[in-house]
Amino acid sequence: MIKKMYYSYWLLLPGLLIFSVFFIYPNLTGFLYAFTNMDESFKYTRFVGFDNFKSLFQEDDQVIAFKNTFIFAIITTVFKIVLGLLLALLANAKLRTTLFFRSMLFFPVLLSTLAVSLVFSALLHPSRGLLNVFLETLHLDMLAQSWLTDPQIVIFSVSFVEIWKWTGLSMILFLAALQTIPQELKESAMVEGVNSWQMFRHITLPLIMPIVNTNVILSVIGGLKVFDIVYALTGGGPGNSSQVINTIVFKNFAAGRNGEATAANVMLFLIVLVIVLLVNKVLNRKVEG
């Protein structure tokens, strides 16, 4: 009997070993390195306490990176959720072009981030970009901007590209949730004289709240951990105006400031953890309510 009881635990050992080697050990090592000062070869280490973390809030470019990361995460999350839901409601309508409409909206998700960045770098060029040429053709010259080279608006331009690329994924998740709502429930509500807004407010939205929760958390995590689209479009520039936390991590590693890079990485992990737990707690109350 005792042998049978322990037998199941032995089966867990291979999985626990792999998890420890590839997840627990690297993460614990990363936390330890955040409190040290290492040379470029990662060999010489000196314990520096919280100095690496303090420097994150003392240098201007790193402070800008934290600010931009929050701006980027908030803007992209709000727009991906709102637009994704609106597009899902449209894509759920019974039209002849529904399948084509869904495919076109999901298509940007399939494109490589580098390819998207190259295309938008050309489209948003201040003098030869299609967007400014189009605005000038309509005699709306005052709206033409240096989209990727003006420090005041560059983070918003990058956010727009991120929204364009990933809203299709939010739409697909919402669409899957909308299609699980029983048709009989909608028909009963219509018979009772419920209008479109009441149908959405009191039937559709409560039933898809678990997917809203999932979508918001995925968008927040993606926004806080952004790197590729920013690096490919602007490299963090002009100057440091579009730096985000992950570009600072990359920049510090490239400069051999391994301790500060690891500290920024640990800080990002803690920020993501705290925000996701808070968002999940708030949204779960709405789901249960």
Side-chain angles (χ1 to χ4, degrees), residues 5 10 19 26 31 47 58-59 64 67 90 93 100 109 111 116 139 147 190-191 227 243 245:
M5 188 174 69
W10 283 106
F19 185 72
F31 275 98
F47 185 75
Q58 291 172 341
E59 297 179 19
I64 291 170
K67 178 185 168 188
L90 286 173
F100 174 76
V109 178
L111 297 175
V116 169
H139 302 290
W147 304 103
M190 291 174 70
V191 169
F227 171 73
Q243 294 281 9
I245 297 176

Side-chain angles (χ1 to χ4, degrees), residues 134-178:
F134 177 71
L135 291 171
E136 287 163 7
T137 304
L138 296 177
H139 302 290
L140 297 171
D141 304 47
M142 75 292 291
L143 297 178
Q145 303 288 333
S146 300
W147 304 103
L148 296 176
T149 53
D150 184 344
Q152 301 299 320
I153 62 171
V154 62
I155 192 65
F156 301 103
S157 303
V158 178
S159 300
F160 166 76
V161 179
E162 171 82 357
I163 292 164
W164 179 86
K165 185 174 183 341
W166 291 108
T167 297
L169 183 61
S170 296
M171 180 204 71
I172 288 295
L173 293 174
F174 282 131
L175 184 60
L178 289 173

Side-chain angles (χ1 to χ4, degrees), residues 207-226:
L207 290 176
I208 66 170
M209 271 310 290
I211 295 299
V212 174
N213 187 349
T214 303
N215 244 336
V216 169
I217 288 175
L218 288 176
S219 297
V220 168
I221 293 173
L224 292 172
K225 294 175 64 180
V226 64

Side-chain angles (χ1 to χ4, degrees), residues 14 29-30 32-33 46 77-78 94-95 104 110 116 125 127 144-145 165 171 178 183-184 202 239 247 261-262 283-284:
T29 307
L32 177 64
Y33 285 169
R46 181 171 60 86
T77 298
V78 169
K94 293 178 181 177
L95 302 171
M104 287 299 294
L110 305 177
V116 169
H125 191 277
S127 58
Q145 303 288 333
K165 185 174 183 341
M171 180 204 71
L178 289 173
Q183 191 61 30
E184 297 79 12
H202 299 292
T247 58
T262 312
L283 292 178
N284 269 339

Side-chain angles (χ1 to χ4, degrees), residues 3 24 35 48 54 56-57 113 126 141 149 152 170 173 226:
K3 284 185 178 178
I24 294 178
F35 296 92
V48 294
K54 290 177 185 173
L56 295 177
F57 302 100
T113 301
D141 304 47
T149 53
Q152 301 299 320
S170 296
L173 293 174
V226 64

Side-chain angles (χ1 to χ4, degrees), residues 198-272:
Q198 290 171 327
M199 177 90 75
F200 174 77
R201 174 71 181 82
H202 299 292
I203 295 177
T204 304
L205 190 57
L207 290 176
I208 66 170
M209 271 310 290
I211 295 299
V212 174
N213 187 349
T214 303
N215 244 336
V216 169
I217 288 175
L218 288 176
S219 297
V220 168
I221 293 173
L224 292 172
K225 294 175 64 180
V226 64
F227 171 73
D228 49 4
I229 197 85
V230 175
Y231 194 77
L233 266 176
T234 66
N240 292 308
S241 54
S242 64
Q243 294 281 9
V244 290
I245 297 176
N246 269 331
T247 58
I248 286 294
V249 172
F250 180 80
K251 183 180 171 184
N252 283 341
F253 272 127
R257 300 164 66 178
N258 300 319
E260 291 181 20
T262 312
N265 220 3
V266 170
M267 186 62 76
L268 177 60
F269 168 77
L270 294 175
I271 290 171
V272 171

